[in-house]
Amino acid sequence: MNQLAISVQDLNLYYGDKQALRKINMEIEEKSVTALIGPSGCGKSTFLRTLNRMNDLIPGVRIDGEIMIHNQNIYDDEVDVEMLRKQVGMVFQAPNPFPKSIYDNVAYGPRIHGIKNKSRLDEIVEKSLRGAALWDEVKDRLKDRATGLSGGQQQRLCIARALAVEPEILLMDEPTSALDPISTLKIEELVQELKKNYTIVIVTHNMQQAARISDKTAFFLNGDMIEYDNTDKLFSNPQNKQTEDYITGRFG
Amino acid sequence: MARHFDQSLQDVKKLLLEMGARVEIAIDKAVKSLASLHVPMAQMVCSEDQKIDELELQIDDTVAKLIATQQPVAKDLRLLIAAMKIASDMERMADLAVNIAQVTIELKENNLGLFKELEDIPRMAKITQKMVHDGINSYIDGNIELAKSLAKTDDQVDQLYFAIIKELTAYLPGSNENAEVALKLCFVARYLERIADHATNIAESIVYIETGKQADLN
């Protein structure tokens, strides 16, 4: 077994009075892909956002329990949230490039973290774009506006932007739901490449995608994590009736 | 929620039921044709085999389309994989019934008669027919207990098989007509024993569907 990248213990999350996550316990190995599935409103995206404290930005959210990354509870007071989000990057559902050039989109994060040297930035931009399997398509037009790229290219640019600050963990919230099948396939193949170096946690509504790309899958329902197992096991022989009903399309 | 997929699954089950019924009849007729040396009945077994082959292809085709278009998972997927395996087992059973029917035809062509009335072979056939019947029913109802008990019956078939072989080998020395008939009947016993093995495979497929685990029931 690989080292643990993330260890979640007894995590509860409340939006005001409403409990949105109930006693979640989960261990995620380094350099693996973990898929979170479940019907809308089950808590999977909320859970994903707890992993880099994106929920801190939502008023009325209360969290207890622990999320350990490198033996540090990320909800401890002394944790620098910006450093945490550098370590745990995020890619969203709709590609959201900045209205800047392709180059500046990727260089944005490193610049914020104090890198000014041009050749160092060039290096990071190339490495990140290569890492996101976009370099060959954009290397001759790095100064073009990012918004001129296709949807699939924009999403890979967002992945490159996330990679530019050298995270360890990448969170992806339905990263292909706005993309056509070919762009989706490219992102899925990219995920397989990325897991050699990164730990990836991905929320997807596409169960076949979860089955194709993840090592482990967690099924969420009404704020509970119902089942968490190796993906091939969960999709071929789930242990829980609710999981079976969901993945075979009997509800949800 | 009623799913379109469930309807398709029912269609597969219907095809398997029809195949199973035809296989049972084939075994029954093949052994009866042998016991009475009734050639037209044997020929009917041979000619009806084609329909069973077609049913297998139809099941394979339906399952392949369902996998391609519905991407089934979990028990849905296991039901379909098992349907293909069961269809393949039944197709082999029907071929073995044809082999038995061909023995009837060969005996008649060579003017050979049975030197005694058949007892154990029809008994073996009855048990194997029941195994096929139970196999299909356990698939339709998801009845794992029935599947397991049918697999146990395979031991009775094996015992009968060895008893028949022992009895018939007494006729083998020498090269008289009885030896030739005895040899052919040994083959028949062997065919029935193989049919029972295929029925046991069906039982194993049922265990796989219901539990997700591969079982060796014999």
Side-chain angles (χ1 to χ4, degrees):
Chain A
M1 184 169 142
N2 280 334
Q3 294 266 341
L4 285 185
I6 305 170
S7 171
V8 180
Q9 286 150 26
D10 293 335
L11 182 79
N12 292 299
L13 182 143
Y14 307 82
Y15 290 120
D17 294 336
K18 188 181 170 288
Q19 187 162 6
L21 290 173
R22 248 183 307 274
K23 230 178 168 185
I24 308 296
N25 284 283
M26 189 178 201
E27 294 191 329
I28 296 173
E29 285 177 29
E30 259 183 12
K31 294 177 184 156
S32 68
V33 179
T34 302
L36 311 179
I37 62 167
S40 297
C42 68
K44 59 190 187 301
S45 289
T46 299
F47 175 71
L48 187 79
R49 288 197 298 265
T50 62
L51 300 176
N52 69 349
R53 292 184 55 172
M54 291 291 276
N55 290 313
D56 289 13
L57 307 172
I58 301 170
V61 165
R62 189 160 54 83
I63 291 169
D64 57 54
E66 285 184 346
I67 296 179
M68 306 296 289
I69 294 177
H70 290 306
N71 296 318
Q72 165 81 56
N73 180 6
I74 62 169
Y75 283 93
D76 279 351
D77 292 339
E78 71 262 25
V79 168
D80 176 342
V81 177
E82 273 184 30
M83 285 312 288
L84 171 70
R85 292 189 191 137
K86 177 176 180 296
Q87 191 182 3
V88 186
M90 192 150 190
V91 177
F92 298 89
Q93 184 173 0
N96 54 351
F98 303 133
K100 293 168 173 286
S101 71
I102 295 167
Y103 185 98
D104 287 341
N105 261 276
V106 183
Y108 186 85
R111 278 182 179 140
I112 288 209
H113 287 97
I115 298 173
K116 299 272 188 286
N117 181 300
K118 172 79 170 73
S119 62
R120 175 78 187 111
L121 281 174
D122 287 353
E123 223 175 87
I124 292 172
V125 168
E126 178 173 345
K127 187 173 171 225
S128 306
L129 286 169
R130 281 189 189 281
L134 189 58
W135 175 252
D136 289 339
E137 290 163 56
V138 301
K139 64 183 177 202
D140 299 325
R141 47 178 173 140
L142 293 173
K143 295 295 168 197
D144 287 6
R145 284 177 77 81
T147 44
L149 295 172
S150 75
Q153 288 172 327
Q154 287 187 17
Q155 193 61 306
R156 279 179 283 144
L157 179 68
C158 293
I159 293 172
R161 193 172 63 191
L163 298 181
V165 295
E166 300 186 321
E168 292 170 25
I169 298 166
L170 266 186
L171 308 179
M172 297 184 164
D173 196 353
E174 296 185 52
T176 64
S177 62
L179 303 184
D180 67 72
I182 304 292
S183 305
T184 297
L185 182 66
K186 281 189 181 160
I187 301 278
E188 288 185 4
E189 283 179 355
L190 176 58
V191 167
Q192 296 305 305
E193 277 303 304
L194 290 173
K195 82 165 190 178
K196 292 174 186 163
N197 298 307
Y198 306 91
T199 304
I200 295 166
V201 186
I202 180 169
V203 164
T204 176
H205 270 134
N206 180 338
M207 277 181 289
Q208 291 307 316
Q209 178 170 74
R212 279 194 296 270
I213 66 174
S214 69
D215 301 299
K216 285 193 148 195
T217 298
F219 169 55
F220 283 75
L221 186 65
N222 298 329
D224 292 305
M225 190 174 77
I226 304 291
E227 188 162 350
Y228 176 47
D229 209 334
N230 291 332
T231 296
D232 52 0
K233 174 94 186 305
L234 191 127
F235 280 98
S236 61
N237 195 14
Q239 298 305 294
N240 188 288
K241 172 89 171 55
Q242 288 172 307
T243 313
E244 170 108 23
D245 285 349
Y246 182 69
I247 63 172
T248 57
R250 286 188 170 80
F251 76 82
Chain B
M1 188 170 74
R3 303 176 307 162
H4 172 69
F5 183 80
D6 289 327
Q7 185 52 51
S8 308
L9 210 50
Q10 284 307 321
D11 295 342
V12 173
K13 284 183 177 178
K14 270 187 208 146
L15 291 171
L16 276 173
L17 260 180
E18 185 185 344
M19 213 178 161
R22 285 179 180 273
V23 169
E24 276 179 61
I25 292 169
I27 299 167
D28 187 49
K29 279 190 181 157
V31 174
K32 279 187 178 146
S33 78
L34 178 68
S36 58
L37 292 179
H38 194 299
V39 171
M41 199 191 282
Q43 283 164 338
M44 200 186 285
V45 173
C46 298
S47 63
E48 292 200 341
D49 184 53
Q50 197 192 340
K51 179 66 193 164
I52 293 172
D53 291 350
E54 284 167 12
L55 278 166
E56 189 203 9
L57 295 178
Q58 213 178 330
I59 289 166
D60 282 359
D61 205 35
T62 311
V63 168
K65 279 185 187 144
L66 277 173
I67 289 174
T69 58
Q70 307 285 317
Q71 287 114 35
V73 293
K75 195 173 175 184
D76 290 341
L77 180 61
R78 299 201 298 272
L79 274 163
L80 293 182
I81 292 172
M84 284 178 88
K85 288 177 79 170
I86 291 171
S88 162
D89 278 316
M90 289 202 295
E91 189 274 334
R92 289 294 304 132
M93 289 178 178
D95 285 350
L96 291 160
V98 167
N99 291 149
I100 295 171
Q102 279 165 343
V103 170
T104 307
I105 296 167
E106 284 165 20
L107 287 176
K108 206 68 178 174
E109 275 174 358
N110 297 315
N111 289 320
L112 295 169
L114 300 170
F115 46 79
K116 62 173 283 235
E117 199 180 331
L118 297 183
E119 287 170 22
D120 284 345
I121 285 177
R123 195 177 302 153
M124 223 177 144
K126 272 263 162 326
I127 300 173
T128 47
Q129 261 171 272
K130 173 90 167 42
M131 287 172 78
V132 178
H133 187 81
D134 288 351
I136 297 302
N137 279 343
S138 55
Y139 178 82
I140 303 298
D141 303 333
N143 187 339
I144 195 167
E145 293 312 316
L146 183 61
K148 283 181 178 166
S149 79
L150 95 83
K152 282 209 184 82
T153 353
D154 191 44
D155 293 339
Q156 292 177 33
V157 174
D158 287 345
Q159 278 167 11
L160 274 170
Y161 171 62
F162 289 121
I164 290 168
I165 296 298
K166 198 172 170 197
E167 186 194 337
L168 290 174
T169 43
Y171 294 90
L172 291 183
S175 58
N176 55 26
E177 285 185 357
N178 283 358
E180 202 178 333
V181 174
L183 189 60
K184 287 189 189 301
L185 293 178
C186 282
F187 282 131
V188 169
R190 174 70 181 155
Y191 299 145
L192 286 170
E193 189 268 337
R194 291 296 303 142
I195 290 175
D197 285 347
H198 285 291
T200 309
N201 288 350
I202 294 178
E204 287 170 355
S205 292
I206 313 304
V207 175
Y208 170 69
I209 293 169
E210 297 302 320
T211 67
K213 294 190 180 89
Q214 304 283 357
D216 183 4
L217 295 180
N218 196 15

